[in-house]
Amino acid sequence: QVQLVESGGGSVQAGGSLRLSCTGPGFTSIRCGISWYRQAAGKQRELVSSISAGGSTSYADSVKGRFTILKDVVRETVYLEMNSLKPEDTAMYYCKAYACRGVSDTWGQGTQVTVSS
């Protein structure tokens, strides 16, 4: 399995920015896609953004134009750049490796993002 570690969460005011990192040594060699999910208190986990092994990206409607997903192949890290943050973006953010060759999907441990109004 790929071991994923998220970082970069924190507390910001509305309108602020954060950059989340998801590092997973080996995920590029086994052609994983990486997704970011979030789960707010009392709500279901939802897909925020994904980047495939080939570099194709997708975003939830709620974050389009505000969030950008980027991949650094050398550092084996996927970033989620979050701008114009809103209180409703408050959640635990998780990354997941999917569609990896020969291994099952893997989740990271999560990083908390809190946006105050």
Side-chain angles (χ1 to χ4, degrees), residues 48-68:
V48 176
S49 183
S50 294
I51 187 164
S52 70
S56 298
T57 61
S58 62
Y59 299 91
D61 288 342
S62 59
V63 306
K64 280 180 182 176
R66 300 189 298 122
F67 291 11
T68 303

Side-chain angles (χ1 to χ4, degrees), residues 9-21:
S11 297
V12 296
Q13 290 191 326
S17 299
L18 284 172
R19 187 178 76 164
L20 306 184
S21 300

Side-chain angles (χ1 to χ4, degrees), residues 18-95:
L18 284 172
R19 187 178 76 164
L20 306 184
S21 300
C22 172
T23 300
F27 84 80
T28 55
S29 63
I30 56 174
R31 303 286 293 167
C32 299
I34 300 291
S35 291
W36 283 98
Y37 287 76
R38 66 186 181 188
Q39 188 167 19
K43 295 188 177 181
Q44 289 189 328
R45 192 170 294 191
E46 63 173 351
L47 178 61
V48 176
S49 183
S50 294
I51 187 164
S52 70
S56 298
T57 61
S58 62
Y59 299 91
D61 288 342
S62 59
V63 306
K64 280 180 182 176
R66 300 189 298 122
F67 291 11
T68 303
I69 191 167
L70 302 166
K71 181 165 57 177
D72 185 328
V73 175
V74 173
R75 291 180 171 82
E76 298 199 277
T77 298
V78 170
Y79 302 98
L80 186 67
E81 296 187 341
M82 307 186 296
N83 299 310
S84 303
L85 283 162
K86 304 175 181 180
E88 51 263 43
D89 295 318
T90 295
M92 185 71 79
Y93 283 71
Y94 301 88
C95 63

